[in-house]
């Protein structure tokens, strides 16, 4: 922003307008000068610039006017996403914290999405229900009123389907249980948590595990596609303690039956 230079003549007409735009004292046809009722300038760096206008009228009288124009640097926006590929309706966070203003401060962060939705803030979180490439625009405004924008895209994919098959369906404590992740989508990795601690215990589409304690056990599988789209599902597996107890009693009776008698005839 700066001061305007206005020229007028009350008792005649102005015949020439000559500008000194770099403060060297030369007007009009000289290098770095210009002529005409208006002139357009651009500045490559910030600072304070002096512009002078010299006008002459039809009576041969000349006069000058001066304006000082303060120039500030525009902000530099930076847009990053927590992931470039997401599943439908999965949240993604957009962050503008790396945006800078070299000679001032950024006062506004404005986010514009393809459906016309507007959000404000240094970072925002959003999900997308439409598949495909989705464009996001970040607009930053600094304390001098400069507005600069940049755009980015995220790819939205369908979430992969996944179910867990268990064999046997009524497992016995102390015996192996087979788990298989079934999906109609191409899966890149499978990660299994069979003890509920949130850590990966096994990898692979099919795994085997033995539960030594009876009761309900939650088994979870997390699948990831080649595009990095994540989905997970869980299943409660009930381990029967009675059948384990019966098995032990049967085994004990079998051992007793095979033990030779200590009685003498």
């Amino acid at each position: 922003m700066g001061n305007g230079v206005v020229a007028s003549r009350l008792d005649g007409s102005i015949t020439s307008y000559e500008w000194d735009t770099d403060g060297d004292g030369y007007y009009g046809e000289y290098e770095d000068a210009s002529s005409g009722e208006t002139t357009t300038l651009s500045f490559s760096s910030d600072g304070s610039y002096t512009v002078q206008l010299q006008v002459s009228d039809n009576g041969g009288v000349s006069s000058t006017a001066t304006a000082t124009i303060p120039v500030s640097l525009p902000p530099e926006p930076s847009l990053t996403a927590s992931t470039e590929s997401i599943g439908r309706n999965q949240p993604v966070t957009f962050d503008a914290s790396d945006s800078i203003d070299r000679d001032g401060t950024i006062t506004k962060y404005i986010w514009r999405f393809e459906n016309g939705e507007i959000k404000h803030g240094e970072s925002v979180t959003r999900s997308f229900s439409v598949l495909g490439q989705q464009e996001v625009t970040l607009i930053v405004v600094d304390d001098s009123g400069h507005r600069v924008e940049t755009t980015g895209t995220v790819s939205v994919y369908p979430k992969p389907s996944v179910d867990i098959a268990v064999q046997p369906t009524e497992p016995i404590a102390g015996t192996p249980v087979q788990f298989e992740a079934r999906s109609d989508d191409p899966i890149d990795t499978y990660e299994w948590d069979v003890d509920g601690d949130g850590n990966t215990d096994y990898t692979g589409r099919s795994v085997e595990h033995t539960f030594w304690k009876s009761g309900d056990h939650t088994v979870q599988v997390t699948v990831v596609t080649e595009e990095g789209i994540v989905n997970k599902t869980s299943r409660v597996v009930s381990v029967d303690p009675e059948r384990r107890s019966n098995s032990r009693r049967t085994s004990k009776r079998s051992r007793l039956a095979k033990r030779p008698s200590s009685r003498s005839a």
Side-chain angles (χ1 to χ4, degrees):
M1 298 179 63
N3 298 319
V5 179
V6 180
S8 63
R9 183 73 169 92
L10 299 179
D11 60 353
S13 60
I14 296 176
T15 58
S16 69
Y17 300 83
E18 296 179 312
W19 300 85
D20 172 15
T21 58
D22 60 1
D24 62 359
Y26 292 99
Y27 295 88
E29 302 302 325
Y30 292 94
E31 185 179 359
D32 296 328
S34 61
S35 300
E37 189 172 352
T38 63
T39 189
T40 301
L41 303 175
S42 63
F43 302 94
S44 60
S45 60
D46 61 330
S48 182
Y49 295 84
T50 299
V51 176
Q52 289 186 308
L53 168 65
Q54 179 176 271
V55 295
S56 300
D57 65 7
N58 56 349
V61 179
S62 298
S63 182
T64 60
T66 301
T68 300
I69 303 174
V71 176
S72 60
L73 295 174
E76 301 173 24
S78 174
L79 184 163
T80 59
S82 56
T83 178
E84 295 180 355
S85 300
I86 58 173
R88 173 188 281 165
N89 295 323
Q90 288 184 328
V92 57
T93 298
F94 299 100
D95 184 75
S97 60
D98 288 336
S99 302
I100 60 174
D101 188 48
R102 299 185 183 277
D103 60 357
T105 57
I106 296 176
T107 58
K108 292 181 182 179
Y109 301 86
I110 305 169
W111 301 86
R112 185 174 65 233
F113 300 92
E114 282 191 293
N115 66 348
E117 181 183 359
I118 300 294
K119 285 181 173 287
H120 299 268
E122 190 175 66
S123 66
V124 297
T125 300
R126 191 183 189 278
S127 60
F128 297 86
S129 60
V130 179
L131 300 178
Q133 292 282 330
Q134 302 297 319
E135 187 174 271
V136 181
T137 300
L138 167 65
I139 305 168
V140 293
V141 184
D142 69 5
D143 53 352
S144 296
H146 298 303
R147 297 168 60 97
V148 183
E149 67 179 54
T150 187
T151 59
T153 59
V154 292
S155 299
V156 183
Y157 294 89
K159 292 173 63 175
S161 62
V162 60
D163 290 307
I164 298 175
V166 181
Q167 187 63 36
T169 57
E170 298 180 357
I172 304 170
T175 60
V177 184
Q178 300 288 333
F179 297 99
E180 181 183 2
R182 296 179 177 177
S183 176
D184 295 328
D185 301 300
I187 303 299
D188 190 45
T189 62
Y190 303 81
E191 296 181 350
W192 296 85
D193 175 15
V194 298
D195 55 11
D197 64 356
N199 297 319
T200 299
D201 301 306
Y202 303 101
T203 60
R205 181 177 180 180
S206 299
V207 298
E208 180 180 282
H209 180 73
T210 299
F211 296 101
W212 297 100
K213 293 183 179 181
S214 61
D216 291 340
H217 301 266
T218 300
V219 176
Q220 178 176 276
V221 63
T222 301
V223 296
V224 184
T225 66
E226 292 182 354
E227 295 80 15
I229 310 306
V230 179
N231 196 12
K232 60 182 65 177
T233 190
S234 60
R235 178 168 176 172
V236 176
V237 179
S238 297
V239 177
D240 188 351
E242 295 299 325
R243 295 178 64 182
R244 181 185 181 196
S245 177
N246 290 338
S247 176
R248 283 184 169 180
R249 287 197 295 269
T250 300
S251 177
K252 183 177 181 180
R253 286 196 299 268
S254 177
R255 290 195 300 271
L256 290 174
K258 294 180 180 180
R259 182 181 300 173
S261 175
S262 60
R263 294 181 180 180
S264 58

